[in-house]
Amino acid sequence: MAGIGVVVAILVTLAAVLIPWLPTSASREMARIELVYWVATIISIGIFTLVVSVIVYSVLTFRAAPEDESDGPSIHGNTGLEVVWTLLAVTLVVAIGVLSAVVLSQNGNAGTNPLAVNVYAQQFAWRFEYPQQNKLKSGELVLPLGRKVEFHMTAADVIHSFWIPEMGQKQDLVPGIQTKIIVTPTRTGTFTLVCTELCGLGHATMRAPVRVLSSADFAAWVKEKQSGGGGGGTGAALFASAGCGSCHTFTPAGTTGKIGPSLDDLAAAAKAAGQDVTAFTHESIVDPGKVIASGYQNGVMPTNYGQSYSAQEIDALVKYLTGAGQ
Ligand code: CUA
């Protein structure tokens, strides 16, 4: 019996220690969250072990002999024991509470000079804007190493949720209000921002790449973005930053989304609808409910692209999609 117990204990310990239960931290906030997590887990393991040991010991030691049907002795409790376990439990719960409050307050502190990033979420894409970098726009989240980043977030349609697993912090984006979250990257590399609020048919595809660069590389990226690409003016850049590819297959962009119809043969779709391809494509972007491709539902594609983007941007996108921009 004791042998089995020891074997089980060893296997459980190996599973606990060898499996990487949490992603390797890539932010100061995540490191603090991990601390709370492990403190609470270790306390729970200690209490669980103590309780189970007492139960097993009691069951083995105090069980009734066969055929013994008499009542057990009447026991009126043990004041000393009750005081100890009450105080112990209160102390541990208060300790976890205080530690959590300290971590929550540190993780919510933006410091004196955070980098501001505006985050816009809509079904089913992320867009980023850097107000201190001349309102630089990007479909990819690029962050400098070691600097606090304060995200100002809002949603255009329904509730979404911002989460980069390696960076710990998680926050909802809600239409009509602005929510905030702070992340301080501690590791360069490539990560993924995922939406963790079920927001519709394309929820699972609502992801955005995240790159953490050294501060010099970040400055170089900002410079290049500002001088080059024309601030996302080209149709290809807009297609990427608006997140069209998470729902639509479009071979020139290398996307394979299946939520909405393929955009590979718009000429045929326009012909079927009895329209000119340019007018048809434009209408399908700004008023997607007008013509619904067979096999697809109305109301899935957002109807606000006409408001979110300028007329020139939409025109560039239409040219890109119809091949007229090549
Ligand atoms: Cu946005 Cu799920």
Side-chain angles (χ1 to χ4, degrees):
M1 191 70 185
I4 295 173
V6 170
V7 171
V8 170
I10 290 174
L11 289 178
V12 169
T13 309
L14 285 178
V17 174
L18 294 182
I19 296 175
W21 295 100
L22 297 178
T24 308
S25 168
S27 82
R28 243 175 260 164
E29 291 73 18
M30 176 62 171
R32 296 188 194 114
I33 291 170
E34 271 187 317
L35 175 71
V36 177
Y37 181 85
W38 288 122
V39 167
T41 303
I42 287 164
I43 290 174
S44 306
I45 291 173
I47 300 280
F48 179 80
T49 310
L50 185 68
V51 169
V52 170
S53 306
V54 171
I55 291 173
V56 169
Y57 172 81
S58 303
V59 165
L60 294 178
T61 314
F62 301 113
R63 80 182 141 175
E67 317 268 315
D68 176 2
E69 283 173 17
S70 62
D71 287 339
S74 158
I75 294 169
H76 291 283
N78 182 322
T79 310
L81 199 56
E82 285 170 22
V83 167
V84 168
W85 77 43
T86 305
L87 285 182
L88 190 69
V90 168
T91 310
L92 290 176
V93 170
V94 169
I96 294 174
V98 168
L99 179 64
S100 304
V102 169
V103 165
L104 211 53
S105 127
Q106 286 181 338
N107 280 1
N109 178 4
T112 50
N113 183 29
L115 171 73
V117 177
N118 298 333
V119 182
Y120 302 96
Q122 76 174 79
Q123 294 168 318
F124 299 98
W126 299 96
R127 286 189 292 125
F128 310 99
E129 190 183 271
Y130 296 73
Q132 298 155 345
Q133 278 69 32
N134 233 337
K135 296 205 167 181
L136 177 69
K137 288 183 176 58
S138 176
E140 171 196 37
L141 181 57
V142 179
L143 303 172
L145 183 69
R147 179 162 172 201
K148 284 193 182 207
V149 183
E150 185 172 56
F151 295 98
H152 303 262
M153 317 197 286
T154 193
D157 37 33
V158 298
I159 300 177
H160 302 272
S161 184
F162 176 103
W163 187 43
I164 304 165
E166 292 86 350
M167 302 198 185
Q169 299 276 65
K170 189 189 275 183
Q171 174 67 55
D172 279 5
L173 296 88
V174 183
I177 64 170
Q178 197 185 67
T179 51
K180 274 194 217 167
I181 198 172
I182 289 143
V183 167
T184 319
T186 51
R187 192 150 65 80
T188 56
T190 308
F191 308 95
T192 304
L193 164 62
V194 298
C195 177
T196 68
E197 185 71 51
L198 185 58
C199 55
L201 215 49
H203 161 68
T205 64
M206 189 167 165
R207 291 160 171 260
V210 179
R211 266 193 305 144
V212 176
L213 306 175
S214 69
S215 39
D217 287 349
F218 177 75
W221 174 78
V222 168
K223 213 166 171 190
E224 191 208 307
K225 263 305 238 193
Q226 280 173 342
S227 59
T234 73
L238 194 64
F239 185 88
S241 70
C244 309
S246 50
C247 292
H248 295 283
T249 294
F250 189 50
T251 305
T255 67
T256 56
K258 296 273 187 293
I259 308 289
S262 162
L263 306 177
D264 278 344
D265 198 356
L266 287 168
K271 206 168 165 200
Q275 290 186 47
D276 162 67
V277 68
T278 301
F280 173 75
T281 307
H282 191 279
E283 176 188 278
S284 299
I285 295 170
V286 299
D287 189 6
K290 214 63 180 284
V291 179
I292 300 296
S294 84
Y296 294 89
Q297 289 172 32
N298 193 359
V300 175
M301 173 150 161
T303 52
N304 62 349
Y305 286 111
Q307 290 93 61
S308 309
Y309 295 94
S310 69
Q312 295 93 306
E313 284 175 316
I314 302 278
D315 284 345
L317 186 57
V318 170
K319 277 194 185 126
Y320 176 61
L321 290 171
T322 55
Q326 256 60 12

